Amino acid sequence: MEPWQKDIFEIIETLADEVESFFLVMNDMVDSFFELTEEITEQIHNSIAADIDQYLQELAEPLLEVYWELEDVVGDVDPGFPYAVEPTIEKNAACMGCSNYHGQVYSGNLLVCAMHPHGWDDANCPDWEKSTEY
């Protein structure tokens, strides 16, 4: 082989070694970059998850307190609510036997009928209709 051919062969060999070395270094850098981004992602994920958990806990605590207080209040309410009240001679005498009589108590308020929600004052209601119930 002539010296110039030998020199070209050595140059090509050196170039190949340098390219291989370059790609090995780049591979190491890419691996290091991915490891770093995985660590950062995990730290951010843990941090955000902890912050969201804390936020949701702070948000839920007052709501749960209100819920438990309402449960105590609801537990004291009569389970038969609303309930029916029949007309008597002393109270709503004009409504006795009337088909329009509703007679349900809602939140402590008696709804007598749609035409006269609080009842009629005397014994002769102008809207009285005979009940068809037996």
Side-chain angles (χ1 to χ4, degrees):
M1 235 192 210
E2 292 192 31
W4 67 269
Q5 291 174 335
K6 192 174 185 183
D7 289 343
I8 290 178
F9 184 71
E10 287 177 9
I11 290 173
I12 292 174
E13 226 177 56
T14 305
L15 180 64
D17 289 341
E18 291 297 322
V19 168
E20 182 180 0
S21 175
F22 172 77
F23 281 115
L24 287 174
V25 169
M26 288 303 292
N27 189 30
D28 291 341
M29 289 178 60
V30 169
D31 287 344
S32 297
F33 178 74
F34 279 128
E35 287 176 12
L36 179 66
T37 56
E38 284 177 3
E39 289 175 14
I40 291 172
T41 302
E42 186 176 328
Q43 288 177 358
I44 290 173
H45 180 265
N46 291 338
S47 174
I48 289 175
D51 289 346
I52 289 174
D53 184 46
Q54 179 67 29
Y55 175 74
L56 290 176
Q57 202 169 26
E58 289 173 2
L59 184 67
E61 272 183 26
L63 295 174
L64 289 174
E65 287 178 21
V66 169
Y67 174 76
W68 296 123
E69 289 173 10
L70 283 177
E71 186 176 85
D72 293 341
V73 170
V74 171
D76 297 340
V77 175
D78 182 20
F81 183 84
Y83 57 92
V85 174
E86 293 295 322
T88 63
I89 294 174
E90 295 84 22
K91 187 93 169 147
N92 300 318
C95 302
M96 293 176 62
C98 180
S99 64
N100 295 322
Y101 183 73
H102 182 65
Q104 295 287 321
V105 175
Y106 301 96
S107 299
N109 299 310
L110 173 64
L111 175 60
V112 176
C113 72
M115 282 79 63
H116 309 285
H118 300 289
W120 190 253
D121 292 336
D122 62 22
N124 298 318
C125 177
D127 297 305
W128 189 88
E129 293 181 11
K130 182 174 179 152
S131 178
T132 58
E133 292 180 16
Y134 299 112

